């Protein structure tokens, strides 16, 4: 029997380590994103990496998430998008400055306009390369909760995103990708995406109204994302869980209580995992086998969120933490996760067997 190598692997490693890797180690990289404040510019100019200006917990170093594939990969650039693809997967990213795109007579706000431009460019690339299904979008931009042009910026983003989906004849309900949208400490609009030629299935959460059906009290256009997406790659079931918050139905619960919000996020993630296992009975997705990325609004809440997560998931939890604004002003924490693919937690110090970047300790 041969050991089947996973078609996709997630590596979490300190940014400083990424820069040291040689050609061999880089060959299997699809791309990724690095997080720190100020933004860290990795020395990976030939690969699609986002530099996101987002603080790590106090004293913790810049960290990168790196997606790998064992398939032969080629890199390219189309317009603003840097990408890298194999036969099955394509990872791409772009960073745009919203101050440069708006025409004076444009009725769209600058953020709405740059968002629509970015998503149009992404869909053009994907159509041209026959990668029709997106597994996951990551969206990062500054001042996500700030009001400008008489509308919260997250709501402006939602209009631009939805218009690009509609403009490319894509569905904005039901069959939509998993995603997240978080506030950065600075910089422009940064979007990363992972697309595939395989069939992607959306997973919704029975505890939550689908975000694409949110009522208009949350903005004139509903957000275009699924609670999770599921795919079978190389015989393995994989799950990409969107940013998940303390929302039940369509309402925020536990105002001002970060511990209770964290537990509600985890109940939602557990419900998504259960729903994915119901759809794909052989998949065997487990909460304690996912890799988590956790966005906490207030740095002083990090320890509480970490403690609640370790209690819920178990001591073997793989999670890394970032300080970010979440896309409703009353949300204090948002948690995303993925699993079914291979995961290698980072070893900042290879001489000691522990994994300091993805551990439950502070
Ligand atoms: C929510 O459930 C919280 O706009 O892409 C989570 C995941 C959220 C993705 C997005 C927003 C997005 O509504 C916010």
């Amino acid at each position: 029997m041969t050991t089947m190598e996973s078609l996709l692997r997630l590596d979490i490693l300190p940014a400083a380590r990424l820069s040291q890797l040689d050609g061999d180690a880089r060959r299997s990289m699809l791309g990724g994103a690095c997080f720190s404040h100020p933004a860290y510019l990795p020395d990976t100019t030939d690969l699609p990496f986002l530099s996101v200006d987002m603080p790590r917990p106090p004293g913790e170093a810049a960290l990168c998430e790196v997606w790998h594939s064992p398939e032969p990969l080629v890199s390219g650039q189309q317009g603003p998008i840097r990408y890298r693809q194999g036969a099955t997967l394509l990872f791409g990213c772009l960073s745009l400055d919203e101050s440069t795109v708006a025409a004076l007579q444009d009725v769209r706000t600058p953020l709405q306009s740059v968002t629509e431009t970015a998503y149009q460019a992404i869909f053009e690339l994907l159509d041209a390369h026959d990668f029709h299904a997106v597994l996951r979008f990551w969206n990062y931009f500054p001042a996500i909760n700030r009001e400008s042009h008489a509308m919260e910026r997250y709501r402006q983003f939602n209009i631009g995103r939805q218009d690009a989906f509609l403009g490319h004849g894509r569905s904005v309900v039901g069959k939509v990708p998993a995603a997240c949208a978080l506030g950065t400490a600075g910089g422009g609009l940064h979007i990363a995406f992972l697309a595939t030629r395989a069939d992607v299935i959306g997973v919704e959460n029975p505890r939550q109204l689908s975000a694409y059906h949110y009522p208009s009290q949350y903005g004139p256009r509903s957000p275009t994302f699924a609670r999770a997406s599921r795919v079978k790659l190389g015989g393995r079931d994989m799950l990409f869980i969107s940013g998940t918050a303390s929302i039940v139905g369509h309402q925020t619960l536990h105002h001002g209580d970060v511990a209770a919000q964290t537990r509600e996020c985890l109940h939602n993630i557990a419900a998504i995992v259960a729903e994915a296992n119901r759809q794909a009975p052989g998949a065997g997705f487990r909460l304690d086998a996912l890799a988590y990325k956790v966005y906490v609004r207030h740095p002083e809440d990090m320890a509480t969120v970490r403690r609640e997560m370790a209690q819920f998931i178990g001591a073997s939890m793989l999670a890394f933490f970032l300080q970010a604004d979440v896309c409703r002003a009353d949300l204090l924490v948002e948690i995303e996760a993925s699993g079914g693919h291979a995961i290698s937690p980072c070893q900042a110090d290879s001489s000691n067997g522990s994994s300091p970047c993805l551990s439950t300790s502070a």
Side-chain angles (χ1 to χ4, degrees), residues 54 139-142 144 180-184 295 324-327 334 336:
M54 192 174 274
N139 301 288
Y140 302 109
F141 56 92
I144 191 166
C180 62
L182 283 306
T184 56
Y295 305 95
D325 290 341
V326 184
C327 64
E334 183 172 304
E336 63 183 53

Side-chain angles (χ1 to χ4, degrees), residues 15-241:
R17 282 264 314 280
L18 182 61
S19 298
Q20 293 162 3
L21 296 176
D22 60 12
D24 259 3
R26 288 183 182 206
R27 194 155 301 138
S28 70
M29 288 183 189
L30 279 163
C34 297
F35 301 88
S36 64
H37 178 66
Y40 177 91
L41 278 170
D43 168 29
T44 48
T45 44
D46 50 331
L47 296 170
F49 271 89
L50 277 187
S51 306
V52 183
D53 186 350
M54 192 174 274
R56 296 266 298 131
E60 293 192 31
L63 207 59
C64 305
E65 56 182 4
V66 185
W67 296 97
H68 290 262
S69 174
E71 296 184 327
L73 303 176
V74 291
S75 303
Q77 171 134 16
Q78 180 170 313
I81 304 173
R82 293 169 294 135
Y83 64 92
R84 194 159 157 83
Q85 66 177 101
T88 311
L89 289 159
L90 182 150
F91 179 90
C93 63
L94 75 171
S95 301
L96 290 177
D97 185 346
E98 68 190 83
S99 64
T100 60
V101 293
L104 279 175
Q105 71 280 15
D106 201 336
V107 297
R108 303 172 300 172
T109 72
L111 177 62
Q112 176 190 342
S113 170
V114 77
T115 303
E116 189 176 341
T117 300
Y119 273 86
Q120 275 172 348
I122 292 167
F123 293 144
E124 274 161 32
L125 172 85
L126 295 176
D127 288 351
H129 291 245
D130 277 319
F131 278 89
H132 293 288
V134 178
L135 280 164
R136 185 68 163 87
F137 279 111
W138 292 265
N139 301 288
Y140 302 109
F141 56 92
I144 191 166
N145 301 128
R146 193 203 294 153
E147 185 127 340
S148 82
H149 305 80
M151 197 187 292
E152 187 191 32
R153 280 165 53 82
Y154 173 59
R155 300 176 180 203
Q156 300 173 26
F157 165 86
N158 275 320
I159 302 173
R161 173 170 58 179
Q162 194 185 87
D163 276 341
F165 272 78
L166 293 171
H168 280 259
R170 291 184 174 244
S171 173
V172 295
V173 294
K175 202 175 158 54
V176 292
C180 62
L182 283 306
T184 56
L189 173 67
H190 302 276
I191 303 176
F193 55 98
L194 186 61
T196 179
R197 291 193 170 118
D199 290 331
V200 175
I201 292 139
V203 181
E204 291 300 306
N205 177 355
R207 304 179 82 233
Q208 295 184 305
L209 183 67
S210 294
Y212 47 75
H213 286 146
Y214 279 171
S216 58
Q217 73 194 81
Y218 302 103
R221 301 287 189 85
S222 302
T224 306
F225 72 95
R227 296 301 179 187
S229 61
R230 188 167 63 73
V231 71
K232 198 161 195 144
L233 295 179
R236 294 196 191 200
D237 290 291
M238 303 185 190
L239 184 63
F240 297 84
I241 299 178

Side-chain angles (χ1 to χ4, degrees), residues 279-331:
Q279 290 179 2
F285 298 119
R286 294 166 48 117
L287 276 186
D288 61 359
L290 301 177
Y292 294 87
K293 188 152 128 227
V294 188
Y295 305 95
V296 182
R297 184 183 291 274
H298 302 300
E300 63 271 23
D301 288 339
M302 295 256 184
T304 303
V305 174
R306 203 189 283 268
R307 184 176 1 96
E308 292 294 335
M309 286 186 69
Q311 213 156 74
F312 199 102
I313 297 162
S316 64
M317 167 181 90
L318 302 177
F320 82 86
F321 291 77
L322 296 164
Q323 191 261 308
D325 290 341
V326 184
C327 64
R328 283 185 194 179
D330 51 15
L331 293 173

